[in-house]
């Protein structure tokens, strides 16, 4: 956490300014997102919004603009968990390290989304559905947050723990609740772990309930308002029902970072965490082939903490040892 953010939080407490406090919280959340700590960033948001561990609000007096600007968030009948929560982010597209072709496609998507009204006037379908595919840790969630920021829209993050119900037919009902609640509003609807509700209907191992869920999902997609920008993310695109693919305007497959992206990330994070080193960063770039950005960051964070605890700089040999331990789950 930066000192300036801590200073703002203390000052906001002293003068009782909710606006200054909210600004400091937004900066803190953004800082954690840029570090890749998306789970921690989400916990900070939820704490600010006054939710307890069951997802229920514990206070009504927080002046949070996004909450008051939208309809009441629907809940699951079984456990009373809210079906989605609003996320604010100042993560920019430039914060997401992507190959040039993927970045260009996202820019095209954003350009079309920004001109939805003009496209509709010319009887052209709006580009408001984006599917993100790729292995865990490759930046799908961060990309969704960046798209929402670039569109200057809040992001409604769908909570799968509330959406998927053990009651027969309730998951389809929950889906309808989500889409009815957000329809005709200007926001980004983010469905993470999308394959959990969009699996192939010809899978003999799946029960009829999931097939009904996929059918309900397709119907809700078809009735989606142009004002809603839908983003879905999956680690297992091969599991998706064929009809799902046709519902998206664009699909971006986020791959593992190539050599150029790995070198940029390694140099950036070594600088960000002020790591004193004699390591050959180019050799480290080669060593990390096949790793996700999240995995590379974990390695560099380990090196940064190692430097703090030992008081010594980091060498290439030390980085190799840390990488070996990480790849073998610290078994060595």
């Amino acid at each position: 956490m930066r000192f300036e953010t801590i200073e703002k939080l203390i000052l906001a407490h002293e003068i009782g300014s909710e606006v200054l406090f909210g600004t400091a919280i937004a900066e803190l959340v953004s800082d954690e997102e840029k570090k890749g700590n998306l789970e921690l960033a989400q916990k900070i948001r939820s704490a600010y919004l006054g939710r307890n561990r069951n997802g229920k609000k514990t206070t009504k007096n927080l002046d949070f603009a996004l909450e008051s600007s939208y309809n009441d968030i629907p809940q699951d009948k079984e456990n009373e968990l809210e079906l989605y929560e609003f996320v604010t982010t100042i993560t920019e597209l430039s914060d997401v390290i992507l190959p040039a072709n993927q970045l260009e496609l996202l820019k095209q998507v954003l350009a079309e989304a920004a001109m939805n009204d003009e496209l509709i006037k010319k009887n052209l379908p709006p580009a408001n559905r984006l599917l993100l595919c790729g292995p865990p840790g490759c930046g799908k969630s961060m990309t969704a947050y960046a798209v929402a920021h670039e569109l200057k829209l809040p992001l409604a993050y769908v909570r799968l723990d509330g959406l998927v119900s053990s009651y027969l037919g309730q998951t389809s009902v929950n889906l309808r609740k989500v889409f009815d609640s957000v329809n005709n509003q200007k926001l980004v609807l983010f469905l993470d772990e999308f394959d959990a509700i969009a699996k192939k209907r010809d899978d003999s191992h799946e029960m009829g309930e999931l097939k009904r869920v996929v059918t309900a999902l397709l119907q809700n997609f078809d009735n989606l308002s142009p004002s809603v920008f839908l983003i879905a993310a999956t680690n297992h695109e091969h599991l998706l029902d064929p009809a799902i693919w046709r519902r998206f305007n664009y699909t971006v497959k986020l791959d593992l970072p190539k050599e150029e992206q790995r070198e940029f990330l390694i140099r950036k994070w070594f600088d960000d965490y002020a790591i004193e080193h004699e390591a050959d960063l180019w050799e480290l770039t080669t060593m990390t082939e096949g790793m996700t950005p999240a995995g590379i960051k974990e390695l560099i964070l380990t090196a940064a903490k190692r430097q703090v605890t030992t008081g010594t700089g980091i060498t290439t040999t030390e980085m190799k040892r840390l990488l070996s331990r990480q790849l073998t789950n610290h078994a060595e």
Side-chain angles (χ1 to χ4, degrees):
M1 187 189 301
R2 296 176 300 176
F3 172 75
E4 293 85 355
T5 305
I6 297 175
E7 189 176 33
K8 285 182 181 179
L9 287 169
I10 295 172
L11 179 60
H13 173 72
E14 289 179 348
I15 66 177
S17 172
E18 184 63 34
V19 174
L20 180 60
F21 187 77
T23 301
I25 290 294
E27 290 178 1
L28 177 58
V29 167
S30 175
D31 190 42
E32 294 302 327
E33 285 178 348
K34 289 178 180 179
K35 292 177 183 177
N37 302 328
L38 299 182
E39 183 177 354
L40 176 58
Q42 190 62 30
K43 287 180 179 178
I44 295 172
R45 288 192 195 95
S46 295
Y48 179 71
L49 290 173
R51 291 189 175 91
N52 61 21
R53 291 187 179 181
N54 293 325
K56 297 179 183 178
K57 292 183 184 179
T58 58
T59 181
K60 294 288 186 179
N61 58 7
L62 287 177
D63 181 19
F64 196 71
L66 293 180
E67 285 290 323
S68 61
S69 299
Y70 293 88
N71 297 333
D72 290 337
I73 298 176
Q75 297 180 340
D76 174 61
K77 179 180 178 182
E78 178 183 4
N79 51 34
E80 297 185 343
L81 287 177
E82 292 182 341
L83 298 179
Y84 59 85
E85 57 188 336
F86 283 114
V87 172
T88 55
T89 175
I90 55 175
T91 300
E92 299 178 356
L93 193 59
S94 59
D95 296 323
V96 184
I97 308 303
L98 297 171
N101 60 331
Q102 295 176 350
L103 188 59
E104 280 303 310
L105 178 55
L106 283 174
K107 288 180 178 178
Q108 173 65 24
V109 171
L110 290 169
E112 291 186 25
M115 300 187 68
N116 261 2
D117 293 341
E118 289 77 3
L119 291 173
I120 292 172
K121 288 177 182 178
K122 296 182 181 296
N123 294 320
L124 294 171
N128 65 335
R129 300 175 196 171
L130 172 65
L131 178 62
L132 302 174
C133 307
C138 67
K140 297 184 296 298
S141 295
M142 182 173 282
T143 300
Y145 292 163
V147 168
H149 172 76
E150 298 295 340
L151 292 175
K152 297 180 173 59
L153 294 175
L155 182 146
Y157 185 97
V158 176
R159 297 171 54 98
L160 280 182
D161 56 350
L163 183 69
V164 178
S165 174
S166 60
Y167 284 138
L168 184 66
Q170 188 61 39
T171 302
S172 298
V173 172
N174 285 345
L175 273 172
R176 173 61 65 87
K177 286 181 179 180
V178 168
F179 280 86
D180 285 350
S181 175
V182 302
N183 243 350
N184 298 314
Q185 300 189 57
K186 285 198 166 187
L187 51 75
V188 172
L189 181 64
F190 183 34
L191 299 170
D192 201 4
E193 307 290 345
F194 186 54
D195 48 279
I197 56 173
K199 285 185 180 178
K200 295 176 182 176
R201 286 171 288 182
D202 60 0
D203 188 341
S204 60
H205 298 289
E206 292 295 346
M207 303 294 289
E209 169 68 2
L210 182 59
K211 296 177 181 180
R212 288 191 289 271
V213 168
V214 175
T215 300
L217 183 65
L218 293 171
Q219 291 171 345
N220 282 293
F221 271 33
D222 292 340
N223 294 323
L224 186 66
S225 166
S227 66
V228 177
F229 192 99
L230 174 70
I231 302 178
T234 178
N235 302 332
H236 308 287
E237 63 267 25
H238 60 282
L239 297 179
L240 299 181
D241 190 273
I244 290 291
W245 293 91
R246 299 195 300 270
R247 264 60 179 195
F248 288 93
N249 306 113
Y250 292 102
T251 298
V252 177
K253 294 189 177 182
L254 302 179
D255 298 320
L256 297 173
K258 300 186 185 304
E259 189 175 79
E260 181 182 355
Q261 284 85 48
R262 296 199 310 278
E263 182 185 13
F264 176 87
L265 291 173
I266 289 168
R267 293 187 181 279
K268 176 182 184 301
W269 288 330
F270 261 80
D271 289 340
D272 286 350
Y273 297 106
I275 299 177
E276 297 178 7
H277 68 93
E278 298 177 359
D280 185 335
L281 299 189
W282 178 250
E283 186 174 352
L284 185 55
T285 300
T286 304
M287 288 162 44
T288 53
E289 182 177 3
M291 293 179 65
T292 65
I296 295 171
K297 188 160 195 176
E298 179 185 349
L299 173 65
I300 295 174
L301 284 172
T302 301
K305 289 183 283 189
R306 178 74 174 168
Q307 175 180 279
V308 172
T309 57
T310 63
T312 59
I314 300 299
T315 64
T316 302
T317 301
E318 179 70 1
M319 291 302 299
K320 287 181 178 179
R321 189 178 72 84
L322 294 176
L323 177 59
S324 176
R325 290 181 61 187
Q326 180 175 320
L327 295 177
T328 56
N329 294 320
H330 303 281
E332 295 184 353

